[in-house]
Every structure is written in C-alpha cells, then in structure tokens.
C-alpha cells in the first residue's frame, strides 16, 4: 500500500498523514478520538498528524456543540483538492483485483473476528 501511495500521491504527505486526511474527508466533523478509532491510530499520534495537517493548511479544527473539550476536524479546500478519497478507492480496487468477492467477504469476516477476539469482544 505504501508503495502504491508513494507512486500515485500528490501533496507531499506521508502515508499516515494521508490516511488521517482521507478519514477526515470521509467523516467531516469527526473528533480526534473518532478519527483515531476509524484509522486505528493511537490518540497521541493522531494529534501529531492533525497538528501537521493543520500547519499545512489541509484541515481545520473547530468546536463541537455542547462540549468545549472536543474538537471537530474538517478538511479545508486545499485538503479536499488532494482528492485522497479517489486515491484510496483506486488503491482498494487495485489491491482486490482478481479476488473473488466471496473470498473477500470471508477474509473481512475472519479479520473482524480476530480483532474482536484480541479486544475481548463477542465470544471472548
């Protein structure tokens, strides 16, 4: 994934920063904690990525109604212009090319169950 991203990306972002910005584009107004959950990036690391994206003018943070402690994350027009959602979709399409949809569904279900097992979820 990193090699594909490096070959096709624009904007000088690291792969991790691009993942964070793509998540912000896909979930406008998400909080830092929500983005950390979505991307499975630890909150302190997420904060560093968001700080860098904000310095680059690719995101902005604003208040969340009803909770002054939370900050909503929104992509700026410059962040939107990088078209990372299209690149993410292309990367996914290339990575699953030639794989039977049924096999993909089984793989996704197995990986989800493994994650649940590790988190102590259903079926403990």
């Amino acid at each position: 994934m990193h090699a594909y991203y490096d070959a096709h990306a624009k904007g000088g972002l690291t792969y991790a920063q691009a993942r964070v910005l793509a998540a912000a584009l896909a979930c406008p107004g998400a909080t830092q904690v929500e983005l950390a959950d979505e991307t499975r990036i630890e909150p302190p690391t997420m904060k560093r990525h968001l700080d860098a994206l904000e310095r680059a003018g690719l995101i902005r943070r604003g208040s969340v109604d009803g909770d002054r402690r939370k900050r909503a994350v929104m992509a700026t027009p410059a962040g939107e212009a990088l078209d990372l959602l299209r690149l993410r979709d292309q990367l996914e399409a290339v990575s699953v090319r030639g794989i039977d949809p049924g096999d993909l569904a089984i793989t996704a279900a197995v990986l989800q169950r493994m994650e649940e097992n590790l988190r102590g979820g259903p079926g403990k």
Side-chain angles (χ1 to χ4, degrees):
M1 282 192 244
H2 287 237
Y4 186 90
Y5 171 80
D6 290 343
H8 295 88
K10 299 178 183 115
L13 299 179
T14 66
Y15 178 73
Q17 290 170 338
R19 284 183 55 220
V20 171
L21 181 54
L25 287 162
C27 308
T31 66
Q32 176 176 319
V33 171
E34 290 167 340
L35 291 175
D37 287 344
E38 175 68 25
T39 58
R40 293 176 171 80
I41 293 174
E42 293 296 319
T45 303
M46 174 60 70
K47 182 184 181 313
R48 287 192 300 275
H49 289 315
L50 291 173
D51 289 346
L53 292 170
E54 192 169 38
R55 280 192 305 274
L58 301 174
I59 62 145
R60 64 179 173 74
R61 293 183 250 199
S63 60
V64 172
D65 291 338
D67 192 338
R68 291 183 296 168
R69 295 170 297 160
K70 292 183 180 179
R71 306 288 287 163
V73 178
M74 300 290 292
T76 64
E80 292 170 357
L82 293 178
D83 206 10
L84 289 176
L85 293 179
R86 181 188 55 76
L87 181 58
R88 182 194 65 187
D89 292 345
Q90 285 176 337
L91 189 147
E92 183 177 330
V94 167
S95 68
V96 300
R97 188 181 306 143
I99 301 173
D100 181 86
D103 291 343
L104 287 173
I106 291 168
T107 300
V110 169
L111 290 172
Q112 182 175 348
R113 179 57 189 267
M114 290 170 68
E115 182 178 14
E116 290 170 358
N117 290 344
L118 292 170
R119 291 180 186 261
K124 299 176 187 176

